[in-house]
Amino acid sequence: MTIRRAEASDAAGIAAIIVPTIREGATYALDPDMSEAEALAYWMGADKETFVAEEDGAIVGTYYLRPNQAGGGRHVCNCGYMTRASATGRGIARQMCEHSMEHARAQGYRAMQFNFVVSTNERAVRLWQSLGFTIVGRLPLAFRHPSAGYVDAFVMYRHL
Amino acid sequence: MTIRRAEASDAAGIAAIIVPTIREGATYALDPDMSEAEALAYWMGADKETFVAEEDGAIVGTYYLRPNQAGGGRHVCNCGYMTRASATGRGIARQMCEHSMEHARAQGYRAMQFNFVVSTNERAVRLWQSLGFTIVGRLPLAFRHPSAGYVDAFVMYRHL
Protein backbone atom coordinates (compact mmCIF):
# COMPACT_ATOMS: atom_id res chain seq x y z
CA MET A 1 0.00 0.00 0.00
CA THR A 2 1.26 3.46 -0.83
CA ILE A 3 0.02 6.75 0.60
CA ARG A 4 0.35 9.77 -1.64
CA ARG A 5 -1.16 13.18 -2.21
CA ALA A 6 -4.58 13.14 -3.85
CA GLU A 7 -4.88 14.53 -7.37
CA ALA A 8 -7.94 15.85 -9.14
CA SER A 9 -8.14 12.57 -11.07
CA ASP A 10 -8.68 10.70 -7.77
CA ALA A 11 -12.06 12.37 -7.21
CA ALA A 12 -14.16 9.36 -8.27
CA GLY A 13 -12.16 6.97 -6.10
CA ILE A 14 -12.40 9.31 -3.13
CA ALA A 15 -16.12 9.89 -3.65
CA ALA A 16 -16.69 6.11 -3.66
CA ILE A 17 -15.33 6.06 -0.10
CA ILE A 18 -16.56 9.26 1.47
CA VAL A 19 -20.09 9.51 0.05
CA PRO A 20 -21.36 6.21 1.55
CA THR A 21 -19.81 7.12 4.92
CA ILE A 22 -21.43 10.56 4.85
CA ARG A 23 -24.79 9.07 3.79
CA GLU A 24 -24.70 6.65 6.72
CA GLY A 25 -24.34 9.61 9.09
CA ALA A 26 -23.02 7.52 11.98
CA THR A 27 -19.42 8.69 12.36
CA TYR A 28 -19.02 12.19 10.89
CA ALA A 29 -21.00 15.31 11.77
CA LEU A 30 -21.67 16.15 8.13
CA ASP A 31 -24.96 16.61 6.31
CA PRO A 32 -25.91 13.08 5.14
CA ASP A 33 -27.79 14.58 2.20
CA MET A 34 -24.93 16.63 0.76
CA SER A 35 -24.25 16.06 -2.91
CA GLU A 36 -21.21 14.19 -4.17
CA ALA A 37 -19.80 17.50 -5.41
CA GLU A 38 -20.28 19.09 -1.98
CA ALA A 39 -18.64 16.09 -0.30
CA LEU A 40 -15.61 16.33 -2.57
CA ALA A 41 -15.45 20.11 -2.12
CA TYR A 42 -15.34 19.52 1.63
CA TRP A 43 -12.81 16.67 1.62
CA MET A 44 -10.51 18.13 -1.03
CA GLY A 45 -11.03 21.80 -0.14
CA ALA A 46 -8.35 24.46 -0.52
CA ASP A 47 -8.00 24.63 3.28
CA LYS A 48 -6.86 20.99 3.37
CA GLU A 49 -4.08 18.69 2.20
CA THR A 50 -5.71 15.49 0.97
CA PHE A 51 -4.04 12.09 0.67
CA VAL A 52 -5.07 8.68 -0.67
CA ALA A 53 -4.01 5.16 0.28
CA GLU A 54 -3.63 3.11 -2.86
CA GLU A 55 -3.34 -0.64 -3.31
CA ASP A 56 -2.99 -2.36 -6.67
CA GLY A 57 -4.13 0.84 -8.37
CA ALA A 58 -7.30 1.15 -6.31
CA ILE A 59 -7.97 3.78 -3.63
CA VAL A 60 -8.69 2.02 -0.34
CA GLY A 61 -8.54 4.99 2.01
CA THR A 62 -8.24 8.77 2.15
CA TYR A 63 -7.46 11.41 4.70
CA TYR A 64 -7.15 15.17 4.98
CA LEU A 65 -4.99 17.37 7.16
CA ARG A 66 -5.56 21.06 7.92
CA PRO A 67 -4.82 23.59 10.65
CA ASN A 68 -7.50 23.12 13.30
CA GLN A 69 -7.60 26.82 14.10
CA ALA A 70 -6.07 29.96 12.65
CA GLY A 71 -3.89 32.60 14.30
CA GLY A 72 -2.61 31.48 17.70
CA GLY A 73 -4.08 28.02 17.18
CA ARG A 74 -2.51 27.15 13.85
CA HIS A 75 0.25 24.95 15.29
CA VAL A 76 -2.40 22.29 16.00
CA CYS A 77 -3.67 20.29 13.04
CA ASN A 78 -6.85 18.32 12.46
CA CYS A 79 -7.36 15.24 10.30
CA GLY A 80 -10.21 13.12 9.02
CA TYR A 81 -9.76 9.55 7.80
CA MET A 82 -12.03 7.21 5.88
CA THR A 83 -11.40 3.67 4.70
CA ARG A 84 -13.23 1.83 1.92
CA ALA A 85 -15.97 -0.29 3.50
CA SER A 86 -14.66 -3.45 1.83
CA ALA A 87 -11.15 -2.83 3.19
CA THR A 88 -11.77 -2.17 6.90
CA GLY A 89 -9.99 -4.16 9.61
CA ARG A 90 -6.69 -4.34 7.77
CA GLY A 91 -4.84 -1.47 9.42
CA ILE A 92 -5.36 1.08 6.67
CA ALA A 93 -6.64 3.78 9.04
CA ARG A 94 -3.70 3.12 11.34
CA GLN A 95 -1.21 3.50 8.51
CA MET A 96 -2.92 6.69 7.33
CA CYS A 97 -2.83 8.14 10.85
CA GLU A 98 0.86 7.31 11.23
CA HIS A 99 1.50 8.90 7.83
CA SER A 100 -0.44 12.00 8.82
CA MET A 101 1.48 12.43 12.07
CA GLU A 102 4.78 12.19 10.25
CA HIS A 103 3.61 14.66 7.62
CA ALA A 104 2.29 17.02 10.31
CA ARG A 105 5.60 16.99 12.17
CA ALA A 106 7.43 17.75 8.94
CA GLN A 107 5.09 20.70 8.40
CA GLY A 108 5.92 22.05 11.86
CA TYR A 109 2.68 21.18 13.64
CA ARG A 110 3.09 20.57 17.36
CA ALA A 111 -0.12 18.67 18.08
CA MET A 112 -3.07 16.94 16.40
CA GLN A 113 -6.68 17.29 17.51
CA PHE A 114 -9.81 15.36 16.59
CA ASN A 115 -12.73 17.61 17.40
CA PHE A 116 -15.60 15.18 17.25
CA VAL A 117 -15.08 11.43 17.65
CA VAL A 118 -18.51 9.86 18.06
CA SER A 119 -18.45 7.76 21.23
CA THR A 120 -20.26 4.84 19.60
CA ASN A 121 -17.42 4.57 17.07
CA GLU A 122 -15.54 2.43 19.56
CA ARG A 123 -13.12 0.94 17.08
CA ALA A 124 -11.94 4.42 16.11
CA VAL A 125 -11.63 5.54 19.74
CA ARG A 126 -9.48 2.50 20.56
CA LEU A 127 -7.38 2.98 17.43
CA TRP A 128 -6.64 6.61 18.21
CA GLN A 129 -5.83 5.73 21.82
CA SER A 130 -3.40 3.04 20.63
CA LEU A 131 -1.74 5.73 18.51
CA GLY A 132 -1.15 7.99 21.48
CA PHE A 133 -4.28 10.14 21.47
CA THR A 134 -6.01 10.97 24.74
CA ILE A 135 -9.64 11.85 25.30
CA VAL A 136 -9.29 15.44 26.52
CA GLY A 137 -12.96 16.33 26.34
CA ARG A 138 -16.42 14.78 26.40
CA LEU A 139 -19.29 16.58 24.64
CA PRO A 140 -22.45 15.33 26.30
CA LEU A 141 -25.14 14.14 23.87
CA ALA A 142 -23.55 16.25 21.14
CA PHE A 143 -24.21 13.75 18.33
CA ARG A 144 -27.53 12.41 17.12
CA HIS A 145 -26.73 8.92 15.90
CA PRO A 146 -29.10 7.58 13.23
CA SER A 147 -29.98 4.51 15.29
CA ALA A 148 -28.60 5.04 18.81
CA GLY A 149 -30.10 8.52 19.32
CA TYR A 150 -28.23 11.25 21.22
CA VAL A 151 -24.75 10.06 22.22
CA ASP A 152 -21.58 11.74 23.50
CA ALA A 153 -18.69 12.79 21.31
CA PHE A 154 -15.04 12.99 22.33
CA VAL A 155 -12.31 15.54 21.72
CA MET A 156 -9.04 13.63 21.27
CA TYR A 157 -5.57 15.15 21.24
CA ARG A 158 -1.90 14.31 21.12
CA HIS A 159 1.35 16.20 20.97
CA LEU A 160 3.55 15.46 17.99
CA MET B 1 -29.24 48.58 25.69
CA THR B 2 -31.00 46.71 22.95
CA ILE B 3 -29.81 43.59 21.17
CA ARG B 4 -30.96 43.14 17.60
CA ARG B 5 -29.98 41.39 14.40
CA ALA B 6 -27.06 42.96 12.58
CA GLU B 7 -27.73 44.62 9.24
CA ALA B 8 -25.31 45.33 6.42
CA SER B 9 -25.23 48.98 7.52
CA ASP B 10 -23.76 47.90 10.87
CA ALA B 11 -20.54 46.71 9.23
CA ALA B 12 -18.44 49.73 10.24
CA GLY B 13 -19.61 49.58 13.86
CA ILE B 14 -18.94 45.84 14.00
CA ALA B 15 -15.52 46.21 12.39
CA ALA B 16 -14.58 48.85 14.98
CA ILE B 17 -15.06 46.15 17.64
CA ILE B 18 -13.82 42.96 16.02
CA VAL B 19 -10.77 44.20 14.11
CA PRO B 20 -8.85 45.45 17.19
CA THR B 21 -9.65 42.23 19.05
CA ILE B 22 -8.45 40.12 16.12
CA ARG B 23 -5.31 42.26 15.73
CA GLU B 24 -4.49 41.77 19.41
CA GLY B 25 -4.57 37.97 18.87
CA ALA B 26 -4.94 37.15 22.55
CA THR B 27 -8.45 35.71 22.78
CA TYR B 28 -9.57 34.36 19.39
CA ALA B 29 -7.76 31.80 17.22
CA LEU B 30 -8.05 33.96 14.11
CA ASP B 31 -5.34 35.32 11.83
CA PRO B 32 -4.32 38.66 13.44
CA ASP B 33 -3.35 39.98 10.01
CA MET B 34 -6.66 39.35 8.25
CA SER B 35 -8.12 42.34 6.45
CA GLU B 36 -11.16 44.21 7.71
CA ALA B 37 -13.15 42.73 4.83
CA GLU B 38 -12.06 39.20 5.78
CA ALA B 39 -12.93 39.84 9.42
CA LEU B 40 -16.41 41.02 8.48
CA ALA B 41 -16.86 38.10 6.07
CA TYR B 42 -16.02 35.76 8.94
CA TRP B 43 -18.18 37.44 11.59
CA MET B 44 -21.19 38.15 9.35
CA GLY B 45 -20.85 35.07 7.14
CA ALA B 46 -23.79 33.28 5.58
CA ASP B 47 -23.29 30.36 7.98
CA LYS B 48 -23.98 32.62 10.97
CA GLU B 49 -26.69 34.76 12.54
CA THR B 50 -25.07 37.98 13.71
CA PHE B 51 -26.41 40.34 16.37
CA VAL B 52 -25.38 43.72 17.76
CA ALA B 53 -25.82 45.30 21.18
CA GLU B 54 -26.71 48.94 20.76
CA GLU B 55 -26.72 51.75 23.26
CA ASP B 56 -27.67 55.35 22.44
CA GLY B 57 -27.28 54.55 18.74
CA ALA B 58 -23.77 53.14 19.10
CA ILE B 59 -22.77 49.49 18.75
CA VAL B 60 -21.12 48.38 21.99
CA GLY B 61 -21.03 44.62 21.36
CA THR B 62 -21.67 41.94 18.77
CA TYR B 63 -22.11 38.21 18.68
CA TYR B 64 -22.73 35.43 16.18
CA LEU B 65 -24.55 32.12 16.48
CA ARG B 66 -24.19 29.13 14.15
CA PRO B 67 -24.51 25.35 14.23
CA ASN B 68 -21.25 24.02 15.66
CA GLN B 69 -21.35 20.93 13.45
CA ALA B 70 -23.50 19.72 10.57
CA GLY B 71 -25.50 16.49 10.24
CA GLY B 72 -25.84 14.64 13.53
CA GLY B 73 -24.15 17.51 15.37
CA ARG B 74 -26.38 20.36 14.26
CA HIS B 75 -28.48 20.52 17.43
CA VAL B 76 -25.48 22.09 19.20
CA CYS B 77 -24.73 25.73 18.45
CA ASN B 78 -21.59 27.80 18.77
CA CYS B 79 -21.28 31.52 19.51
CA GLY B 80 -18.61 34.18 19.56
CA TYR B 81 -18.96 37.44 21.48
CA MET B 82 -16.97 40.66 21.42
CA THR B 83 -17.49 43.87 23.41
CA ARG B 84 -16.18 47.32 22.52
CA ALA B 85 -12.95 47.87 24.44
CA SER B 86 -14.27 51.10 25.98
CA ALA B 87 -17.41 49.33 27.22
CA THR B 88 -16.03 46.26 29.00
CA GLY B 89 -16.91 45.42 32.58
CA ARG B 90 -20.51 46.57 32.27
CA GLY B 91 -22.20 43.22 31.71
CA ILE B 92 -22.60 43.56 27.95
CA ALA B 93 -21.10 40.12 27.20
CA ARG B 94 -23.34 38.59 29.86
CA GLN B 95 -26.43 40.14 28.33
CA MET B 96 -25.38 39.02 24.85
CA CYS B 97 -24.80 35.47 26.08
CA GLU B 98 -28.20 35.37 27.79
CA HIS B 99 -29.78 36.69 24.60
CA SER B 100 -27.98 34.07 22.53
CA MET B 101 -29.14 31.21 24.75
CA GLU B 102 -32.72 32.38 24.53
CA HIS B 103 -32.46 32.73 20.76
CA ALA B 104 -30.79 29.32 20.46
CA ARG B 105 -33.55 27.64 22.45
CA ALA B 106 -36.15 29.28 20.24
CA GLN B 107 -34.34 27.92 17.21
CA GLY B 108 -34.46 24.40 18.65
CA TYR B 109 -30.83 24.04 19.67
CA ARG B 110 -30.29 21.69 22.60
CA ALA B 111 -26.83 22.78 23.71
CA MET B 112 -24.18 25.48 23.20
CA GLN B 113 -20.46 24.81 22.82
CA PHE B 114 -17.45 27.11 22.90
CA ASN B 115 -14.66 25.31 21.08
CA PHE B 116 -11.68 27.36 22.08
CA VAL B 117 -11.72 29.53 25.21
CA VAL B 118 -8.14 30.65 25.82
CA SER B 119 -7.23 29.76 29.41
CA THR B 120 -5.56 33.11 30.05
CA ASN B 121 -8.87 34.84 29.29
CA GLU B 122 -9.88 34.29 32.90
CA ARG B 123 -12.65 36.84 32.94
CA ALA B 124 -14.37 35.08 30.06
CA VAL B 125 -13.95 31.66 31.66
CA ARG B 126 -15.52 32.89 34.90
CA LEU B 127 -18.32 34.63 33.02
CA TRP B 128 -19.25 31.51 31.04
CA GLN B 129 -19.10 29.40 34.21
CA SER B 130 -21.45 31.83 35.96
CA LEU B 131 -23.82 31.41 33.03
CA GLY B 132 -23.93 27.63 33.43
CA PHE B 133 -21.13 26.52 31.13
CA THR B 134 -18.78 23.76 32.23
CA ILE B 135 -15.22 23.12 31.10
CA VAL B 136 -15.64 19.76 29.36
CA GLY B 137 -12.23 19.66 27.72
CA ARG B 138 -8.74 21.04 28.08
CA LEU B 139 -6.54 21.40 24.98
CA PRO B 140 -2.96 21.36 26.22
CA LEU B 141 -0.84 24.22 24.89
CA ALA B 142 -3.21 24.62 21.96
CA PHE B 143 -2.95 28.42 21.82
CA ARG B 144 0.10 30.57 21.26
CA HIS B 145 -0.60 33.72 23.19
CA PRO B 146 1.22 36.83 21.90
CA SER B 147 2.86 37.50 25.27
CA ALA B 148 2.29 34.41 27.47
CA GLY B 149 3.50 31.85 24.90
CA TYR B 150 1.85 28.43 24.58
CA VAL B 151 -1.15 28.14 26.88
CA ASP B 152 -4.09 25.75 27.21
CA ALA B 153 -7.51 26.33 25.74
CA PHE B 154 -10.83 25.07 27.09
CA VAL B 155 -13.87 23.52 25.47
CA MET B 156 -16.94 24.79 27.33
CA TYR B 157 -20.45 23.43 27.03
CA ARG B 158 -23.94 23.71 28.41
CA HIS B 159 -27.31 22.19 27.71
CA LEU B 160 -30.08 24.65 26.85
Side-chain angles (χ1 to χ4, degrees):
Chain A
M1 195 181 80
T2 57
I3 297 175
R4 60 167 176 80
R5 280 183 190 275
E7 296 166 17
S9 58
D10 296 318
I14 292 172
I17 294 174
I18 66 173
V19 171
T21 304
I22 293 170
R23 294 273 177 273
E24 189 185 9
T27 52
Y28 275 77
L30 296 171
D31 178 5
D33 300 321
M34 66 167 63
S35 69
E36 179 174 313
E38 288 168 332
L40 285 168
Y42 171 78
W43 199 261
M44 303 179 77
D47 59 324
K48 302 183 178 78
E49 296 178 85
T50 309
F51 292 82
V52 291
E54 197 173 33
E55 196 177 55
D56 301 330
I59 294 175
V60 292
T62 178
Y63 82 86
Y64 71 74
L65 186 148
R66 63 174 167 184
N68 197 45
Q69 303 281 350
R74 64 175 299 154
H75 61 283
V76 181
C77 64
N78 165 249
C79 292
Y81 312 85
M82 291 192 195
T83 302
R84 198 172 69 188
S86 60
T88 54
R90 288 172 34 202
I92 294 168
R94 173 181 293 274
Q95 284 183 68
M96 290 195 293
C97 186
E98 287 169 343
H99 186 276
S100 69
M101 288 193 286
E102 188 171 345
H103 181 74
R105 282 187 202 102
Q107 298 286 312
Y109 287 108
R110 298 168 63 104
M112 186 178 288
Q113 179 174 333
F114 303 149
N115 299 306
F116 205 87
V117 182
V118 178
S119 59
T120 48
N121 193 0
E122 294 175 15
R123 193 162 67 177
V125 174
R126 280 196 302 270
L127 175 59
W128 307 144
Q129 286 175 322
S130 78
L131 286 162
F133 287 82
T134 305
I135 294 174
V136 296
R138 176 185 283 265
L139 311 172
L141 307 181
F143 187 70
R144 186 175 189 169
H145 188 281
S147 60
Y150 291 100
V151 298
D152 295 350
F154 298 131
V155 182
M156 300 188 74
Y157 195 95
R158 71 156 284 173
H159 293 290
L160 293 176
Chain B
M1 195 181 79
T2 57
I3 297 175
R4 61 166 174 82
R5 279 182 190 275
E7 296 165 17
S9 58
D10 296 318
I14 291 172
I17 294 173
I18 66 172
V19 171
T21 304
I22 293 170
R23 293 273 176 274
E24 188 186 9
T27 52
Y28 275 76
L30 296 171
D31 177 5
D33 300 322
M34 67 166 62
S35 69
E36 178 174 313
E38 288 168 332
L40 285 167
Y42 171 79
W43 199 261
M44 302 179 79
D47 59 323
K48 302 183 177 77
E49 297 179 85
T50 308
F51 292 82
V52 291
E54 197 173 35
E55 196 177 56
D56 300 330
I59 295 175
V60 293
T62 179
Y63 82 86
Y64 71 74
L65 186 148
R66 63 174 167 187
N68 197 45
Q69 302 282 350
R74 64 175 299 154
H75 60 283
V76 180
C77 65
N78 165 249
C79 291
Y81 312 84
M82 291 191 194
T83 302
R84 197 172 70 189
S86 60
T88 54
R90 287 172 36 204
I92 293 168
R94 173 180 293 276
Q95 283 184 69
M96 289 196 293
C97 186
E98 287 169 341
H99 186 277
S100 69
M101 290 194 283
E102 188 171 344
H103 181 72
R105 283 187 201 101
Q107 298 285 312
Y109 287 107
R110 298 168 65 104
M112 187 177 289
Q113 178 175 332
F114 302 148
N115 298 306
F116 205 88
V117 182
V118 177
S119 59
T120 47
N121 193 0
E122 294 174 15
R123 191 162 69 180
V125 174
R126 281 197 301 271
L127 175 59
W128 307 144
Q129 287 175 323
S130 79
L131 285 162
F133 287 81
T134 305
I135 294 174
V136 296
R138 176 185 284 262
L139 311 172
L141 308 181
F143 187 71
R144 187 174 188 171
H145 188 281
S147 59
Y150 291 101
V151 298
D152 295 350
F154 298 131
V155 182
M156 301 189 72
Y157 196 94
R158 71 156 284 172
H159 293 290
L160 294 175

